Amino acid sequence: MMQPIWLLLLLIGLFHLSHQATNTWVWRCNQEVCVRQHSNKNSIQTNVFRSIEECRLVCGADGSIWPLPSVKFNKSSKLLDINPNEITFELVGSDPVKEILEENVKIFKKNILSECRGACGSDGEALNIKVIVNSTDVSLNWETDESYELKSNNLFWKINAATVFGARHGLESLSQLIAAYNAQDKIGLVTVANVHIVDKPFYKHRSLMIDTGRNFLTVETIKRQIDAMASSKLNILHWHITDSQSFPYVSVRVPNLSRFGSFSENQVYNPQDIKELRDYAKIRGIRILMEIDAPSHAGNGWQWGPHKALGNLSVCVNKQPWRYNCIQPPCGQLNPANIQVYNVLNALYKDIVEQFPESEFFHMGGDEVYFPCWNSTPEIVNYMKQQGKGQNKGDLLDLWGEFQENALAAYDSAVGNSDTKILLWSSELTNPEAIEKYLDKNRYIIETWVPSYDPLPQSLLEKGYKLVISTKNAWYLDHGFWGNTKYYTWRNVYENRLINHRNVIGGEVCMWGELVNGDAIDSRVWPRAAAAAERLWSNSYATTKQVEARMYRHRERLISRGIAAEALTPFWCYQNEGQCL
Ligand SMILES: *[C@@H]1O[C@H](CO)[C@@H](O)[C@H](O)[C@H]1NC(C)=O
Ligand SMILES: *[C@@H]1O[C@H](CO)[C@@H](O)[C@H](O)[C@H]1NC(C)=O
Ligand SMILES: *[C@@H]1O[C@H](CO)[C@@H](O)[C@H](O)[C@H]1NC(C)=O
Ligand SMILES: *[C@@H]1O[C@H](CO)[C@@H](O)[C@H](O)[C@H]1NC(C)=O
């Protein structure tokens, strides 16, 4: 038998524990740092924040918006509890603008409710948000004005933007000015009473590359990447959709490409999938940049030519031993000696052009042609002989240049003009000594993927080429998982500054798909890609030490929004800012 006195003490202890569990900690803002301390139930504490997220909203000049507003960010330290059920919107804009705004209002509401995991209480004030968009133009391209102004006066908020996509960024920032608190068994939302933000991106090209040639990604998985991009104000999803391993893109005009090239009937992208993703992305201010890599990185999917009397469209397909025929298994390269290749490309490009009628750009890949493959293919060697050419590197480069010229003509014929900007990976064809012979600087934009110490980008800029920079030793997010490469932390990603030159139109983080599929991609990409997003949007001079707390906060935000972003630090360090530097 337990003595009554012990029973009583046990009950008191249990009561105490259960009560404490709801709200053990509160935070104080001390010299721009949120400091954790025990909450004291028995006395009213003043000047404390009910969650780290609430503290982060106002503690320090930079608050919690990621990427940091680039022109002006002024805010009060006053907070207001708000009722998520009583947020009203006034949308000012013409019809196509309004539709996109309405979609973004839904996204906004979903995002703020995610802060309290759907368990927000309804205490607090009603909020009124007015969004004014000047332009009726809803086209999205490099010239789109993405700027916005956001102002709040207690319960009245106003977003002003030239375009609907600027307004979208404004709503994104506003959602990041709202956080959850947790106090006395109550969970609710809180915002900053007075804010003035003027904001616009530093670079107009801010992209993430995904690769569905090596491992398939479902439409849902790609949508999650788009959600996370929108949360971080990235604006271009570069889709390396095919590779020598598989051809999951369903071409209406050339169905054999995916029939022979996909991993299975289910692992394909139908025209409806492409359209769905295109529209999903656009609402979020994101364009899809399609890439069909050629002439290398093309094999599976191209094998059916001989049966259709089109000859060999590709050569060295799945050839072994692969090390003698390509850089990575399975081998495969398009056959530049077969004129039919360009007809098939033309038909394929027509499908893509129809799906992206507004597109001002297209990515033709163009990396890593492996000359020994072409050189060991009799029909290619004979083709070169007929032109009086040999098998030396210069002649092979000419052949590659000829392929590129014909592929461009196939594209131009598909689209009906010669205006589309073509992106190409840097390669032997883009070497400073060779490039001007093969690639017109008014048509081609070069995506360099060399390490930061490599002089290539600078040389190409001096020759007048426009660049998208994907710094290999910082923005290749797959590195550290194969070969002798290093894993680049979010700090490495953040610290990567691009060359400051008007012809650097932006940069890209790349997630190659050899060692990642839908089960792991969220954590491989996020939140590291967000570190690049701030570099591209704000290009601030801040150190990673200065932005660390805000970055950790953004990681938690991505988690709330359903992105399985990796942990950057023990949770204790998130709760105890500046203690783990
Ligand atoms: C920002 O706000 C502070 C204090 O509210 C004010 O002194 C300052 O002038 C403002 N800055 C700008 C650029 O408006
Ligand atoms: C919207 O148009 C008005 C009137 O032309 C102009 O004063 C204002 O600056 C414009 N706002 C934006 C954000 O472009
Ligand atoms: C696809 O390939 C098969 C087998 O090689 C061929 O019989 C068929 O005609 C091709 N279909 C089309 C639409 O080209
Ligand atoms: C096509 O490739 C096959 C297999 O490598 C080869 O036997 C054939 O001769 C090639 N066709 C031509 C026209 O060269």
Side-chain angles (χ1 to χ4, degrees):
M1 275 298 283
M2 202 180 250
Q3 295 289 327
I5 179 71
W6 291 116
L7 191 60
L8 184 66
L9 283 177
L10 181 69
L11 283 175
I12 289 172
L14 281 176
F15 177 75
H16 193 69
L17 269 178
S18 73
H19 230 231
Q20 269 208 344
T22 60
N23 195 23
T24 313
W25 310 109
V26 290
W27 279 261
R28 226 173 249 290
C29 180
N30 182 22
Q31 295 181 339
E32 310 221 333
V33 172
C34 293
V35 180
R36 190 180 83 167
Q37 65 182 55
H38 263 287
S39 73
N40 185 345
K41 287 284 174 263
N42 301 324
S43 66
I44 305 285
Q45 289 168 296
T46 53
N47 289 326
V48 296
F49 298 98
R50 300 160 291 181
S51 67
I52 174 82
E53 292 80 17
E54 180 181 39
C55 177
R56 185 91 314 283
L57 283 179
V58 290
C59 189
D62 291 351
S64 63
I65 297 177
W66 191 281
L68 189 66
S70 66
V71 182
K72 177 179 182 168
F73 183 16
N74 240 17
K75 59 182 166 42
S76 67
S77 55
K78 188 178 154 201
L79 291 162
L80 285 171
D81 287 0
I82 55 167
N83 179 350
N85 304 321
E86 287 186 26
I87 300 181
T88 54
F89 279 87
E90 191 184 338
L91 308 177
V92 185
S94 61
D95 255 356
V97 164
K98 228 169 176 175
E99 278 166 39
I100 299 178
L101 280 180
E102 274 158 12
E103 289 300 317
N104 277 289
V105 165
K106 285 184 207 153
I107 296 165
F108 171 87
K109 286 183 175 165
K110 190 169 160 227
N111 283 342
I112 62 169
L113 290 177
S114 79
E115 284 295 310
C116 38
R117 305 292 199 273
C120 304
S122 52
D123 287 355
E125 312 281 348
L127 210 60
N128 184 277
I129 302 170
K130 185 169 180 176
V131 185
I132 305 166
V133 173
N134 268 16
S135 169
T136 58
D137 187 2
V138 293
S139 59
L140 187 56
N141 52 49
W142 281 314
E143 306 316 314
T144 299
D145 185 341
E146 295 181 274
S147 68
Y148 68 93
E149 182 176 16
L150 171 62
K151 251 182 165 165
S152 75
N153 181 6
N154 290 300
L155 301 172
F156 295 93
W157 289 75
K158 199 159 100 180
I159 295 171
N160 260 302
T163 72
V164 67
F165 303 107
R168 191 222 74 88
H169 292 320
L171 280 169
E172 179 55 53
S173 294
L174 175 48
S175 77
Q176 300 190 6
L177 288 164
I178 294 172
Y181 64 81
N182 185 344
Q184 320 284 3
D185 301 329
K186 269 193 319 200
I187 300 176
L189 292 180
V190 57
T191 189
V192 186
N194 299 90
V195 172
H196 188 192
I197 293 175
V198 180
D199 199 8
K200 62 174 191 209
F202 193 90
Y203 290 106
K204 60 186 176 186
H205 185 113
R206 309 183 302 281
S207 59
L208 164 69
M209 191 216 71
I210 55 166
D211 167 11
T212 57
R214 274 57 177 260
N215 274 294
F216 185 78
L217 300 172
T218 63
V219 168
E220 287 312 308
T221 294
I222 297 173
K223 281 185 178 173
R224 280 203 313 282
Q225 308 319 303
I226 293 171
D227 290 342
M229 289 173 70
S231 301
S232 311
K233 300 194 178 89
L234 289 171
N235 67 350
I236 293 166
L237 178 67
H238 169 186
W239 190 355
H240 179 89
I241 192 167
T242 63
D243 210 290
S244 61
Q245 290 84 355
S246 77
F247 201 106
Y249 175 83
V250 175
S251 164
V252 176
R253 288 180 174 80
V254 199
N256 270 349
L257 287 167
S258 59
R259 212 175 280 155
F260 283 77
S262 64
F263 293 130
S264 74
E265 279 170 30
N266 300 325
Q267 286 164 296
V268 294
Y269 303 104
N270 287 305
Q272 314 83 271
D273 298 329
I274 302 282
K275 183 179 180 309
E276 190 178 326
L277 285 168
R278 178 199 70 195
D279 295 346
Y280 189 88
K282 184 165 180 187
I283 285 165
R284 289 156 181 80
I286 294 164
R287 286 183 288 159
I288 295 183
L289 166 58
M290 295 295 280
E291 175 186 348
I292 300 287
D293 204 348
S296 194
H297 292 281
N300 285 285
W302 293 88
Q303 318 91 309
W304 45 274
H307 303 283
K308 271 295 269 185
L310 297 179
N312 292 323
L313 300 172
S314 51
V315 296
C316 312
V317 179
N318 304 340
K319 201 168 168 186
Q320 294 289 358
W322 67 266
R323 281 177 200 283
Y324 297 111
N325 296 285
C326 57
I327 294 170
Q328 178 189 64
C331 299
Q333 265 168 215
L334 296 185
N335 179 2
N338 181 355
I339 192 87
Q340 296 294 348
V341 167
Y342 307 110
N343 295 333
V344 175
L345 282 175
N346 175 254
L348 171 61
Y349 293 155
K350 275 184 186 154
D351 286 340
I352 294 172
V353 165
E354 276 172 15
Q355 286 161 342
F356 294 89
E358 297 179 345
S359 199
E360 64 183 333
F361 56 20
F362 180 65
H363 205 303
M364 288 195 182
D367 56 326
E368 297 185 320
V369 167
Y370 195 67
F371 289 142
C373 159
W374 281 353
N375 250 343
S376 64
T377 305
E379 60 181 303
I380 294 176
V381 174
N382 288 339
Y383 175 79
M384 291 183 71
K385 261 192 202 141
Q386 282 161 20
Q387 297 182 330
K389 302 221 162 169
Q391 290 176 259
N392 59 62
K393 194 171 152 192
D395 289 347
L396 285 156
L397 267 183
D398 285 349
L399 180 65
W400 185 354
E402 181 189 318
F403 171 88
Q404 189 53 47
E405 198 180 321
N406 291 338
L408 182 68
Y411 189 89
D412 286 351
S413 139
V415 71
N417 61 52
S418 308
D419 299 334
T420 311
K421 295 286 186 216
I422 304 297
L423 284 96
L424 282 182
W425 295 106
S426 55
S427 68
E428 287 188 77
L429 202 64
T430 71
N431 274 348
E433 317 80 64
I435 188 166
E436 283 167 309
K437 184 171 177 194
Y438 304 112
L439 304 172
D440 175 0
K441 56 193 68 140
N442 297 313
R443 273 320 286 285
Y444 289 98
I445 293 170
I446 309 305
E447 178 167 10
T448 58
W449 55 288
V450 294
S452 48
Y453 48 80
D454 194 297
L456 178 72
Q458 191 61 51
S459 311
L460 293 178
L461 287 170
E462 279 160 20
K463 293 199 175 292
Y465 285 87
K466 288 199 169 73
L467 304 184
V468 169
I469 294 183
S470 183
T471 316
K472 194 179 181 184
N473 60 339
W475 286 8
Y476 262 41
L477 303 180
D478 60 329
H479 279 203
F481 297 92
W482 54 270
N484 185 25
T485 61
K486 184 173 174 286
Y487 178 88
Y488 305 116
T489 66
W490 77 268
R491 291 172 205 275
N492 305 137
V493 173
Y494 193 86
E495 283 162 359
N496 181 46
R497 302 186 66 86
L498 306 183
I499 298 169
N500 194 1
H501 189 289
R502 72 193 150 81
N503 276 349
V504 174
I505 64 171
E508 175 169 290
V509 274
C510 297
M511 185 63 245
W512 293 104
E514 284 90 344
L515 300 178
V516 70
N517 67 357
D519 300 308
I521 192 169
D522 286 17
S523 62
R524 204 66 61 78
V525 175
W526 304 101
R528 289 187 297 161
E534 177 152 305
R535 169 62 52 228
L536 291 165
W537 180 279
S538 345
N539 201 27
S540 93
Y541 282 89
T543 61
T544 56
K545 191 174 153 182
Q546 289 165 317
V547 306
E548 181 189 86
R550 198 162 44 82
M551 176 40 128
Y552 292 172
R553 169 68 181 101
H554 191 57
R555 184 266 174 185
E556 297 305 314
R557 176 179 294 133
L558 292 172
I559 293 286
S560 307
R561 295 182 182 189
I563 315 300
E566 70 180 350
L568 297 179
T569 194
F571 202 71
W572 188 91
C573 303
Y574 172 62
Q575 290 191 323
N576 292 270
E577 289 184 2
Q579 296 296 303
C580 303
L581 286 170

